[in-house]
Amino acid sequence: GDSVTQMEGPVTLSEEAFLTINCTYTATGYPSLFWYVQYPGEGLQLLLKATKADDKGSNKGFEATYRKETTSFHLEKGSVQVSDSAVYFCALSEDYGQNFVFGPGTRLSVLP
Amino acid sequence: DTGVSQDPRHKITKRGQNVTFRCDPISEHNRLYWYRQTLGQGPEFLTYFQNEAQLEKSRLLSDRFSAERPKGSFSTLEIQRTEQGDSAMYLCASSLVGLAGEDEQYFGPGTRLTVT
């Protein structure tokens, strides 16, 4: 079945550091790819998405490019802030429903 | 609109008891999902509804679990004869499916269940 693998956390960075969170996937078809973020005490929120190969999703300074050849969707941000501290989930969907699959999440802590 | 809401936010119950959770989706959303999330893991799909019809159920959803969405608005998830392995965060999400396809899923804050 479909699956998503993320780099293990926690990831601890200083403010203004560069962030990369790796995400790779396996899927039988051609899924859409997502990054969700969960801030402390809040529900999951969609951060960005890409629906086909070579698409780049971007939001709030975060970017991720759909790489079909490497089955990856790595999340990057050039300069993190303390307010970016959260858990980040990579996910894929072949057609929603039970084909919506999340990775285990990566906790990011940004220190001032 | 205040988004997806879930009630209660926390529930502690003894093994063997029944529990029921409620989810109120965003009002115009026609699709509603239930997920379970355990510590250190991402959400796992349980079931989803299109309006009042339950369209898919995961193999994770044993016969002790039942979900309803009687009028296509709010939904309930009931767990009968709870077991300690049912301890988890139960998440609800809703989305709008139209001619252009499905919009993103909006998640509620979750109900944390602890079975003692």
Side-chain angles (χ1 to χ4, degrees):
Chain A
D2 294 358
S3 66
V4 175
T5 303
Q6 293 180 234
M7 64 188 289
E8 286 191 24
V11 174
T12 303
L13 296 173
S14 297
E15 206 164 22
E16 299 183 3
F18 184 87
L19 168 71
T20 300
I21 300 178
N22 290 337
C23 169
T24 56
Y25 68 91
T26 58
T28 53
Y30 301 95
S32 296
L33 302 175
F34 306 82
W35 277 100
Y36 277 80
V37 59
Q38 188 171 30
Y39 298 104
E42 299 184 16
L44 280 85
Q45 303 173 24
L46 179 66
L47 181 60
L48 54 83
K49 68 179 181 182
T51 57
K52 60 183 187 297
D54 300 325
D55 270 2
K56 178 185 284 188
S58 61
N59 186 25
K60 299 181 181 179
F62 291 88
E63 292 184 339
T65 301
Y66 190 141
R67 300 287 187 200
K68 187 169 180 292
E69 64 277 11
T70 54
T71 62
S72 65
F73 192 56
H74 305 321
L75 183 68
E76 297 182 334
K77 186 175 186 183
S79 176
V80 294
Q81 306 301 311
V82 172
S83 58
D84 294 327
S85 297
V87 182
Y88 292 81
F89 293 92
C90 185
L92 68 80
S93 169
E94 301 231 38
D95 59 2
Y96 290 89
Q98 65 180 316
N99 292 318
F100 206 104
V101 178
F102 284 87
T106 302
R107 182 175 298 277
L108 170 67
S109 295
V110 180
L111 304 178
Chain B
D1 186 33
T2 57
V4 179
S5 61
Q6 294 186 244
D7 183 69
R9 294 290 303 275
H10 304 273
K11 178 69 177 179
I12 300 173
T13 192
K14 293 186 177 180
R15 189 177 55 186
Q17 297 294 305
N18 299 342
V19 294
T20 300
F21 310 142
R22 177 180 170 123
C23 171
D24 287 90
I26 293 172
S27 57
E28 66 268 25
H29 283 183
N30 49 14
R31 194 167 275 192
L32 186 149
Y33 296 79
W34 284 100
Y35 292 87
R36 182 171 65 190
Q37 185 178 18
T38 53
L39 200 61
Q41 299 298 317
E44 295 175 296
F45 170 85
L46 293 179
T47 187
Y48 88 94
F49 294 83
Q50 176 86 9
N51 299 311
E52 66 275 10
Q54 189 173 16
L55 295 188
E56 283 187 67
K57 292 194 290 186
S58 166
R59 287 184 296 277
L60 295 175
L61 210 66
S62 78
D63 57 5
R64 297 184 297 107
F65 287 68
S66 62
E68 293 182 343
R69 194 183 183 198
K71 296 182 180 178
S73 56
F74 74 92
S75 176
T76 58
L77 177 68
E78 180 183 18
I79 308 175
Q80 296 182 324
R81 305 181 303 281
T82 53
E83 301 173 356
Q84 287 187 321
D86 297 331
S87 296
M89 178 77 85
Y90 289 85
L91 299 174
C92 177
S94 70
S95 67
L96 179 65
V97 178
L99 292 176
E102 183 166 3
D103 195 4
E104 70 175 271
Q105 294 185 31
Y106 293 80
F107 282 82
T111 294
R112 182 169 296 284
L113 173 66
T114 302
V115 182
T116 61

